[in-house]
Amino acid sequence: MALEDDILAALTREPGLKGREIASRLGLDKGVVNSTLYKLRLRKLAWQDSGYHWFLKSASRESGQTIQLQLDTPLTKLSRYYLHCLSLDDESGVSLFAQSRFSPEYIELPALPEFDPEERSLASFAGVLELFQRLRTSASRQVPYLGYPVRLRAHRSEKGWEGFFVEPVFLFDFTDDALQRCAEPTLTGELPTFNFRVLKSLAMGDDSQIMDEAARLAEELGFSEAEPPEVDEFMARLTEIREDWDWKEQMNPACLSSGTPLAQITEAGIYNRAIVFGCERSPYTKGLEQELAELQRKTEEACRPTALGAWLRQDFTSFRAPAAQEPQLLEPLPLNSEQRGFESTTVRHLTAADVENFRPEQMESLYDFFTEKAEYWKMAPHLELVASQNVLLALPGKEYVAYFPRGGTNYVKFVPGSYQMEWLHPETGRCFQKRRIALVDGNRDFVPPERPNDDWVLHLVKIL
């Protein structure tokens, strides 16, 4: 009772604290505080808003829920259409064989890195480095993910095979350099994405409705908040708002379940387990389904003064650019690493003369390279010949143009022979002297001549 009294006293002094903030003020473990807070809510002594802020029950809160009317505006129809397109692009989701006669498709972890009391590196867990090595040399362009929690799905094939598939509920990204040689596998720390395979198994409706469910869950879990929730916070909320899902163990990211491995469990359901695995990266930007779901609820009146509204009406005669302080049609989601890489750090207003004489140096280097050095019209993308983080344009056996966006040591698979090799440093436009090399084994690592962390272009031309 003393702990409950201390928490209630903290909320009396500072309404709206988050669980982690209460734990910090009281000098207590965050997991213990969050557990106590949920007990206080069950006893109707406290409540939590959508942003994970806690209040005493006596504090004012909105009562009831707003009923969302189904709109039928052009914007609603357009948003539904693109949600459906996304569902077709990401229709498979992640589903791995629980048991495999060959190399395992996943590695079960003893702890989540964020909560490991021993603060071990992910690479120290058995099997992780071997998995990353397979992904690094694979031609399938798979990238690593961490999945938590994990659902086992029972399956019976038409040919009579019976078994289980492992399907993580959330997918957590690793940093872009995770597959670089000698790199330490590290999570980005960003919010995860949903595994649509799990949503299709547990939610009702067609593909576009599944995408709606993903957007609705993201909103209910507070994924669009300026200060995103932590794993233990959104997992506690998920088990509460989706209590009808087939939870088999209590979800506790700070203490994963042990005992019988996933491969030997024979009962379907969601388990407090975490895995590392490889799969192809989703083809669309994270958070896009959430923004589209929000857009389809906007009225024509809200959309009318915006550029989007003018475009939908095909009438820009009365449109004016809104002032900076005017409200936005859609509150942007926090940038993820993919978007942050394209974020401009400098804002400059260009004059008409600036636009007319716009000749960015890197674009000129790119133009000169492809028009003077490479027969690009004969080549085609061959992503299967390089690692997943790289890009290759090639006429195999004749010419190769490889782009290494993060530098480092990178391999290219090629037809053996004698080649003329040249490096291009895109940032400066500098080309490094051509030299002849003999490639005999069909797979070779290449190291940039300098500044190994910059992006580089490697050009190989077969010598006849």
Side-chain angles (χ1 to χ4, degrees):
M1 294 297 293
L3 176 57
E4 293 183 358
D5 291 340
D6 289 343
I7 291 176
L8 292 173
L11 290 177
T12 301
R13 292 189 300 269
E14 298 180 83
L17 291 175
K18 293 188 174 184
R20 72 189 84 153
E21 295 170 333
I22 297 174
S24 176
R25 283 161 172 72
L26 298 180
L28 298 171
D29 178 74
K30 182 180 64 173
V32 174
V33 170
N34 280 332
S35 177
T36 306
L37 283 166
Y38 280 98
K39 291 178 182 177
L40 290 173
R41 183 168 64 179
L42 290 174
R43 293 166 54 195
K44 301 189 183 303
L45 295 176
W47 62 278
Q48 187 184 43
D49 69 6
S50 61
Y52 293 84
H53 303 96
W54 287 92
F55 301 87
L56 297 178
K57 190 65 176 179
S58 57
S60 61
R61 73 181 290 186
E62 295 181 4
S63 59
Q65 294 182 331
T66 302
I67 298 175
Q68 293 286 349
L69 298 178
Q70 188 72 26
L71 301 177
D72 193 31
T73 65
L75 180 57
T76 298
K77 295 176 181 178
L78 188 64
S79 299
R80 286 181 196 149
Y81 168 75
Y82 281 115
L83 279 170
H84 179 66
C85 291
L86 291 184
S87 69
L88 296 178
D89 275 340
D90 217 28
E91 62 180 352
S92 57
V94 178
S95 190
L96 311 167
F97 284 104
Q99 295 182 344
S100 174
R101 292 177 296 176
F102 309 102
S103 299
E105 293 188 276
Y106 64 92
I107 300 298
E108 190 169 349
L109 301 179
L112 287 173
E114 179 183 350
F115 298 97
D116 184 15
E118 301 179 32
E119 298 183 353
R120 293 167 291 182
S121 69
L122 195 63
S124 68
F125 296 146
V128 171
L129 285 181
E130 291 79 1
L131 174 67
F132 272 70
Q133 176 62 20
R134 290 204 307 272
L135 295 177
R136 188 179 296 118
T137 58
S138 171
S140 62
R141 294 187 58 79
Q142 291 189 335
V143 295
Y145 285 94
L146 185 147
Y148 172 81
V150 176
R151 183 172 188 264
L152 281 178
R153 177 175 61 86
H155 181 78
R156 179 183 176 87
S157 70
E158 295 181 355
K159 297 183 178 180
W161 175 85
E162 291 186 64
F164 288 88
F165 284 98
V166 166
E167 297 172 351
V169 177
F170 289 108
L171 311 180
F172 296 81
D173 291 316
F174 282 89
T175 55
D176 288 341
D177 63 352
L179 290 181
Q180 292 281 2
R181 295 182 188 276
C182 301
E184 177 71 27
T186 306
L187 295 171
T188 62
E190 297 173 352
L191 287 171
T193 54
F194 294 102
N195 180 9
F196 288 94
R197 174 68 74 177
V198 172
L199 294 185
K200 288 182 179 183
S201 298
L202 297 175
M204 301 295 292
D206 57 23
D207 288 339
S208 60
Q209 290 172 313
I210 298 301
M211 198 63 70
D212 278 333
E213 167 71 354
R216 185 164 49 250
L217 271 176
E219 182 177 349
E220 293 177 356
L221 294 177
F223 281 10
S224 60
E225 296 291 326
E227 185 179 356
E230 297 184 358
V231 179
D232 53 347
E233 292 176 323
F234 68 71
M235 280 307 306
R237 179 171 292 181
L238 179 62
T239 56
E240 180 183 14
I241 63 178
R242 294 296 185 271
E243 60 181 358
D244 58 321
W245 285 10
D246 51 356
W247 307 100
K248 292 301 179 183
E249 297 177 333
Q250 182 177 355
M251 297 298 111
N252 183 3
C255 183
L256 299 182
S257 301
S258 58
T260 306
L262 284 169
Q264 298 176 19
I265 295 177
T266 57
E267 185 177 4
I270 303 175
Y271 291 85
N272 185 45
R273 311 293 181 94
I275 62 172
V276 173
F277 60 96
C279 71
E280 292 191 9
R281 193 182 298 276
S282 175
Y284 68 90
T285 301
K286 290 197 300 184
L288 182 56
E289 79 285 350
Q290 191 177 346
E291 293 174 328
L292 287 170
E294 187 174 346
L295 271 178
Q296 71 176 352
R297 296 195 293 268
K298 297 296 181 181
T299 63
E300 286 189 284
E301 183 179 354
C303 187
R304 185 175 301 279
T306 67
L308 178 59
W311 177 78
L312 288 169
R313 298 192 308 274
Q314 292 294 293
D315 180 11
F316 285 86
T317 55
S318 59
F319 172 72
R320 64 170 182 81
Q325 66 272 18
E326 292 186 23
Q328 298 171 309
L329 177 66
L330 192 67
E331 184 69 25
L333 294 176
L335 295 179
N336 55 46
S337 60
E338 172 194 0
Q339 298 160 325
R340 202 174 294 120
F342 295 95
E343 183 184 16
S344 173
T345 56
T346 303
V347 177
R348 183 165 70 93
H349 296 288
L350 299 178
T351 65
D354 289 332
V355 174
E356 180 64 26
N357 298 304
F358 187 58
R359 299 290 187 273
E361 294 180 1
Q362 293 181 20
M363 293 298 293
E364 288 184 349
S365 299
L366 180 66
Y367 176 83
D368 292 342
F369 175 82
F370 277 106
T371 56
E372 298 176 7
K373 297 175 179 286
E375 295 183 332
Y376 64 88
W377 61 91
K378 296 181 180 179
M379 294 185 280
H382 282 276
L383 305 181
E384 74 281 2
L385 302 181
V386 291
S388 60
Q389 71 271 20
N390 300 324
V391 179
L392 178 70
L393 194 66
L395 177 60
K398 299 292 184 181
E399 186 174 10
Y400 301 81
V401 177
Y403 177 54
F404 306 139
R406 293 185 294 277
T409 301
N410 298 276
Y411 74 85
V412 178
K413 297 180 180 179
F414 49 83
V415 176
S418 295
Y419 290 85
Q420 182 174 266
M421 181 180 74
E422 182 180 29
W423 287 95
L424 168 67
H425 187 237
E427 183 178 344
T428 60
R430 181 185 174 192
C431 290
F432 285 73
Q433 186 174 3
K434 300 176 182 179
R435 65 185 182 91
R436 180 170 178 162
I437 60 172
L439 305 177
V440 296
D441 60 359
N443 194 342
R444 173 168 169 168
D445 287 337
F446 293 89
V447 182
E450 62 179 44
R451 300 170 68 171
N453 294 326
D454 289 2
D455 59 327
W456 285 90
V457 174
L458 172 67
H459 186 204
L460 297 172
V461 179
K462 181 74 172 292
I463 298 176
L464 302 177

